[in-house]
């Protein structure tokens, strides 16, 4: 866990919550406030009030509102990346693993609508160098999709004329949009949405031979 600069990780007495618990609560509350008010409209006072603490006490954990947004955005990105990386490692050919990744990404998005919205809406509020720090020099999240498409191409499972980066961006663009229209408890479950979006994506990029084997 990131340690705010110049702060001790030790608790004073028995009154302060354990650092890990309080930090997780701060990230959760800040995410909700940024979602409700937007980064520009939210203040540290709003977040402190929601936490039931003095605004000055926030500086035990953070240095600024921008730094807090960076931590929120980083947490969302890290959690989502862990999900799709785990899905990418499931046994199977690259096309099957790509399908697993798409399903995992969609289901994770549906179950984390508020963090996803904050990430997609407020990432641009960070300076370019901080955005790059979150995403990684090789755009790690996008890279999971791109690498699997490239592997599938080498095995003749994805059309040779498809640009892997463009394919990855297309899949991510369509699946990310789920956060705008998915409603918990609605007609479509995360599992159903994930399965159908994955099939649509695979049908759009796979070779005829691969499609014949997958959907006889």
């Amino acid at each position: 866990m990131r340690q705010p600069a110049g702060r001790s990780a030790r608790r004073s007495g028995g009154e302060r919550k354990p650092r890990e618990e309080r930090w997780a609560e701060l990230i959760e509350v800040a995410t909700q406030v940024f979602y409700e008010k937007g980064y520009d409209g939210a203040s540290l006072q709003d977040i402190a009030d929601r936490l039931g603490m003095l605004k000055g006490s926030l500086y035990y954990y953070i240095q600024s509102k921008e730094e807090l947004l960076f931590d929120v955005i980083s947490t969302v990105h890290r959690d989502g990346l862990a999900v799709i990386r785990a899905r990418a490692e499931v046994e199977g050919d690259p096309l099957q693993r790509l399908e697993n990744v798409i399903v995992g990404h969609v289901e994770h998005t549906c179950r984390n609508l508020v963090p996803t919205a904050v990430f997609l809406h407020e990432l641009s509020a960070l300076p370019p160098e901080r955005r790059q720090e979150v995403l990684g020099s090789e755009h790690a999240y996008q890279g999971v999709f791109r690498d699997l498409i490239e592997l599938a191409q080498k095995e003749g499972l994805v059309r040779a004329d498809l640009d892997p980066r463009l394919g990855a961006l297309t899949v991510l663009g369509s699946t990310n949009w789920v956060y705008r229209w998915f409603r918990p408890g609605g007609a479509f479950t995360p599992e159903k949405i994930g399965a159908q979006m994955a099939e649509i994506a695979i049908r759009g990029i796979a070779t005829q031979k691969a499609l014949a084997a997958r959907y006889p």
Side-chain angles (χ1 to χ4, degrees), residues 4 7 23 26 43-49 51 53-64 68:
R7 301 294 183 181
W23 177 254
L26 171 57
S43 69
L44 290 180
Q45 187 65 61
D46 294 327
I47 294 167
D49 289 345
L51 285 164
M53 63 193 297
L54 296 174
K55 177 182 174 182
S57 298
L58 287 176
Y59 293 104
Y60 180 92
Y61 301 94
I62 62 169
Q63 296 175 337
S64 65
L68 180 55

Side-chain angles (χ1 to χ4, degrees), residues 195-210:
Q196 291 203 6
M197 293 196 81
E199 182 175 343
I200 290 169
I202 296 302
R203 286 185 179 277
I205 67 173
T207 60
Q208 289 299 316
K209 182 178 180 180

Side-chain angles (χ1 to χ4, degrees), residues 3-18:
Q3 300 286 339
R7 301 294 183 181
S8 170
R10 294 177 298 173
R11 289 195 290 164
S12 58
E15 296 180 358
R16 182 174 292 151
K17 288 186 178 182

Side-chain angles (χ1 to χ4, degrees), residues 89-107:
E89 293 172 359
V90 174
E91 187 175 350
D93 65 50
L95 204 57
Q96 180 61 56
R97 291 159 60 199
L98 177 62
E99 183 175 1
N100 292 336
V101 165
I102 296 170
V103 170
H105 174 63
V106 171
E107 291 182 359

Side-chain angles (χ1 to χ4, degrees), residues 12 20 22 45 66 74-75 77 89 159 169 173 179 185 200 202-203 212 215:
S12 58
E20 291 78 9
R22 195 58 160 166
Q45 187 65 61
E66 180 184 300
S74 296
T75 299
H77 185 266
E89 293 172 359
R159 299 195 328 266
L169 287 170
Y179 89 98
I200 290 169
I202 296 302
R203 286 185 179 277
Y215 309 111

